[in-house]
Amino acid sequence: MNKTEIIQWLQERDQAKLAELFLQADKVRKESVGEAVHLRGLIEASNICSRQCRYCGINADQGHSIPRYRMNLDEMKHCALLAQEYGYGTIVVQAGEDYGLTGAFITDFIKWVKANTPLAITLSLGERSEAEFRDWHEAGADRYLLRFETSDTALYQNIHPPVKGQKHHDRFEILKQLKGIGYETGSGVMVGIPGQSYDILANDILSFQNLGLHMIGIGPYIPHPDTSLGKGENIIEIPASEQVPNNQMMTCIVLALTRILCPETNLPSTTALSTLSDEGREQGLNCGGNVIMPNLTPIKYRKLYEIYPAKSCIKEDADMFNKQIKDRIEAIGRTVGTGRGDSVKFTNKC
Ligand code: 5AD
């Protein structure tokens, strides 16, 4: 599929044609990665962040308006054991870009998980040093997630003010570095950030393919009222007809196109999508998705990790969600994944 065709699909509003696109994506998903929906237990390890990303509710500019937390080793071990108890194959350790989560602390946790559980480990800790990426991989970390958020340089710089004294890191370079180290490498974007045109989004989707990603996270942009982007400040003005909407249908179109272009990748039906509507999770699974990330963060921390408002998992009890999600997966004719759920693309060594 070329860029013109991608843009045509992004602008398609005929429901019957879109239903065909979703069916095609579902068929590709079935043939390439099968019926299994892999469950990854999410651990939101710290809401401390040194970055000022203008869309994110836990950015450094939020200052003291939200209490900050950093989980200790015991709390993290508890989450990992919960993942094992629920039969999840993977834990995803996510946090703000918090340098207080030191390289050594993360290494200790990885070593403990590897010595005591069969879990695969995905890290999503932002832009860290190459030495840390290497140490963590050596300690046993399997995967690394770093969304590039947008392939457009001007938009990237608009929404990510540089941290004082730091040069702008090139996330495409970091992703190549991660792949080179041997990680299953994931990235992704938000759909409908102010200033994101159909042209930019088509380039994002082509970048997924060019980067040869093993995992791709795609969710709608949800404005956070306490962020400058959420307040509508300093937004890149583009004609209304070119602005990508941040709704459920558009997110599903992007998921479907991504599945068709990157057949063997792991594609989560994201929490952001399920935040827009209750049946968002199933919709994501029906148009290309094959992964769900149940939240295992202790309830007392969840509301402090509000990267966007009304996050669907904020009050969900991990135990209850675990029982419900398995029924919901089976209700749409899919199976609950067993084992680690490595990316077929990674296992095929490309
Ligand atoms: N709306 C939707 N997604 C968001 N993220 C951060 N803030 C928001 C928001 N307001 C996404 C980013 C980040 C991931 C962890 O969460 O894409 O990479």
Side-chain angles (χ1 to χ4, degrees), residues 247-263:
N247 60 27
Q248 198 163 330
M249 181 58 75
M250 185 53 57
T251 307
C252 287
I253 297 174
V254 181
L255 281 174
L257 293 171
T258 302
R259 171 58 71 200
I260 292 165
L261 284 162
C262 310

Side-chain angles (χ1 to χ4, degrees), residues 55-56 94 147 149 190 220-222 307-308:
Y55 46 81
C56 182
Q94 191 180 83
R147 289 192 183 177
E149 312 294 1
M190 288 172 283
Y221 162 67
I222 302 176
I307 49 185
Y308 46 82

Side-chain angles (χ1 to χ4, degrees), residues 196-252:
Q196 184 185 56
S197 63
Y198 291 105
D199 189 83
I200 291 176
L201 186 53
N203 285 336
D204 294 346
I205 297 170
L206 287 169
S207 302
F208 296 155
Q209 197 180 30
N210 293 337
L211 287 164
L213 297 170
H214 306 116
M215 318 176 270
I216 303 169
I218 296 163
Y221 162 67
I222 302 176
H224 193 301
D226 297 334
T227 59
S228 60
L229 204 65
K231 287 180 189 145
E233 293 165 10
N234 182 25
I235 278 173
I236 293 184
E237 296 286 349
I238 56 172
S241 61
E242 285 175 29
Q243 172 65 48
V244 172
N246 59 338
N247 60 27
Q248 198 163 330
M249 181 58 75
M250 185 53 57
T251 307
C252 287

Side-chain angles (χ1 to χ4, degrees), residues 56-74:
C56 182
I58 63 167
N59 72 29
D61 288 342
Q62 298 298 95
H64 299 294
S65 62
I66 44 167
R68 300 288 175 165
Y69 74 88
R70 181 183 297 133
M71 285 168 61
N72 64 34
L73 203 54
D74 280 341

